[in-house]
Amino acid sequence: MNYLLGAFKPACNISITFSDGKNRKQVPMKKENGQTALVPLFQSQETLSGKVCIEPYQGKKVEHNGVKVELLGQIEMYFDRGNFYDFTSLVRELDVPGDIYERKTYAFEFPTVEMPYETYNGVNVRLRYVLKVTVTRGYAGSIVEYQEFMVRNYAPLPPINNSIKMEVGIEDCLHIEFEYNKSKYHLKDVILGKIYFLLVRIKMKNMDLEIRRRESTGAGANTHVETETLAKFELMDGTPVRGESIPVRLFLAPYDLTPTHRNINNKFSVKYYLNLVLVDEEDRRYFKQQEITLYRLKEDTSS
């Protein structure tokens, strides 16, 4: 019986290590099982190098038809789980067909890799980068090991960053003007603005400012949109008077935000909106939504 159990065990242990693994920044990443693990952080145009170690179990020999390591950038739609679309695929052959009797180490390098998109874990889609080692075997089945890593890409300050000015109103009842200091914000930025009440003839209960994320996947008739409210910030409680202005000061750092993603490989988009919500004493809701652009600014203390 023990012999039969042993027959189904993998023939070897595979480990993947990065050359600068001890010094490279590690960031938390949520796994499919819901648990969080620390993974190394890279950005586009960096070189990925390291070692693959294959160690046979219990003195077994590993017969194989070759060993290779692949660097893959993949998009997975959750309605089509298990099917990955590869937008980046690089391969290095590590060994020719033969036998491995004892621990064997292979060096690999992928120089200045183009990784144009950031790692993203959304409601209906995820984008991941992974190193995949394959020990190719015939009848016994290939042995595969994965090592995920995270990619974040940084943007400079935008040369043009216009303010947002908008009006919202109900004829002869309510007229509000609001202004935000800019339309593009980095992930640790502060949204500053003012809301002016030009006409108030309805009794207001409260006013909130929300940050909403809209994730759209697919295309055409198969487009699926998921909207999340990530933050809700109370601006006012009670009815304002005509001519009153209310300041807005909303810090973005505490919230789980990503940069804006526009039409990533024709698969998905992620957009952010500021949503101003007014509620009157009869619980009627009035709102005005405005898209903002989020980007990741390179900083010494950037996370």
Side-chain angles (χ1 to χ4, degrees), residues 67-135:
V67 179
K68 66 180 177 179
V69 59
E70 296 168 90
L71 190 157
L72 302 173
Q74 302 179 316
I75 296 173
E76 179 189 30
M77 302 292 187
Y78 289 158
F79 61 77
D80 192 20
R81 273 188 186 275
N83 286 331
F84 291 95
Y85 173 80
D86 294 349
F87 59 86
T88 294
S89 180
L90 304 171
V91 63
R92 297 286 182 271
E93 299 292 341
L94 299 179
D95 207 348
V96 295
D99 299 335
I100 301 174
Y101 293 93
E102 56 188 4
R103 180 187 174 105
K104 197 167 182 180
T105 302
Y106 307 90
F108 67 87
E109 182 179 73
F110 296 98
T112 53
V113 181
E114 179 74 31
M115 295 178 283
Y117 312 125
E118 282 208 1
T119 301
Y120 176 74
N121 277 301
V123 178
N124 291 311
V125 62
R126 72 166 169 157
L127 187 152
R128 71 169 187 170
Y129 290 90
V130 67
L131 287 177
K132 176 184 177 183
V133 173
T134 306
V135 179

Side-chain angles (χ1 to χ4, degrees), residues 31-78:
K31 299 287 188 180
E32 279 189 277
N33 58 12
Q35 295 182 336
T36 301
L38 289 174
V39 297
L41 176 63
F42 291 87
Q43 60 181 308
S44 188
Q45 301 298 329
E46 282 201 90
T47 293
L48 282 79
S49 63
K51 291 180 180 178
V52 172
C53 180
I54 298 175
E55 190 168 5
Y57 283 126
Q58 305 163 349
K60 289 182 178 179
K61 74 170 180 177
V62 179
E63 299 176 18
H64 66 88
N65 298 326
V67 179
K68 66 180 177 179
V69 59
E70 296 168 90
L71 190 157
L72 302 173
Q74 302 179 316
I75 296 173
E76 179 189 30
M77 302 292 187
Y78 289 158

Side-chain angles (χ1 to χ4, degrees), residues 146-161:
Y146 295 93
Q147 170 66 56
E148 284 197 62
F149 59 94
M150 187 174 283
V151 171
R152 287 179 180 168
N153 291 322
Y154 302 92
L157 285 167
I160 299 172
N161 199 346

Side-chain angles (χ1 to χ4, degrees), residues 90-297:
L90 304 171
V91 63
R92 297 286 182 271
E93 299 292 341
L94 299 179
D95 207 348
V96 295
D99 299 335
I100 301 174
Y101 293 93
E102 56 188 4
R103 180 187 174 105
K104 197 167 182 180
T105 302
Y106 307 90
F108 67 87
E109 182 179 73
F110 296 98
T112 53
V113 181
E114 179 74 31
M115 295 178 283
Y117 312 125
E118 282 208 1
T119 301
Y120 176 74
N121 277 301
V123 178
N124 291 311
V125 62
R126 72 166 169 157
L127 187 152
R128 71 169 187 170
Y129 290 90
V130 67
L131 287 177
K132 176 184 177 183
V133 173
T134 306
V135 179
T136 307
R137 299 172 4 141
Y139 66 92
S142 297
I143 305 167
V144 180
E145 182 67 27
Y146 295 93
Q147 170 66 56
E148 284 197 62
F149 59 94
M150 187 174 283
V151 171
R152 287 179 180 168
N153 291 322
Y154 302 92
L157 285 167
I160 299 172
N161 199 346
N162 297 322
S163 62
I164 299 171
K165 290 183 180 180
M166 293 190 74
E167 293 184 8
V168 58
I170 304 160
E171 192 174 350
D172 297 329
C173 293
L174 181 69
H175 187 184
I176 297 172
E177 204 172 77
F178 60 89
E179 182 178 346
Y180 303 120
N181 62 328
K182 47 192 177 183
S183 53
K184 299 171 185 174
Y185 297 89
H186 63 77
L187 301 184
K188 302 294 176 67
D189 219 335
V190 184
I191 295 173
L192 299 173
K194 271 195 174 180
I195 295 164
Y196 303 94
F197 291 87
L198 306 178
L199 177 67
V200 184
R201 286 184 182 159
I202 53 177
K203 291 191 175 181
M204 306 301 302
K205 189 194 288 185
N206 63 283
M207 180 167 65
D208 298 326
L209 182 64
E210 299 173 339
I211 300 175
R212 290 188 169 187
R213 174 163 58 212
R214 184 177 295 168
E215 176 189 287
S216 56
T217 53
N222 295 320
T223 301
H224 186 85
V225 177
E226 197 78 39
T227 301
E228 299 172 87
T229 300
L230 304 177
K232 193 173 182 178
F233 180 69
E234 187 174 80
L235 296 173
M236 180 197 71
D237 189 9
T239 301
V241 296
R242 181 179 175 180
E244 190 172 354
S245 68
I246 294 175
V248 175
R249 189 178 181 87
L250 178 57
F251 291 85
L252 297 180
Y255 304 109
D256 182 22
L257 304 173
T258 70
T260 297
H261 298 303
R262 299 191 191 281
N263 199 21
I264 300 299
N265 224 255
N266 294 321
K267 297 291 182 185
F268 72 96
S269 295
V270 180
K271 297 180 180 179
Y272 288 89
Y273 297 85
L274 291 177
N275 192 38
L276 188 67
V277 182
L278 295 91
V279 182
D280 69 14
E281 290 192 338
E282 295 177 19
D283 282 332
R284 288 177 298 199
R285 292 165 65 86
Y286 313 92
F287 56 89
K288 190 75 172 179
Q289 197 163 258
Q290 174 65 39
E291 185 180 356
I292 57 172
T293 299
L294 297 185
Y295 63 97
R296 192 182 299 281
L297 183 66

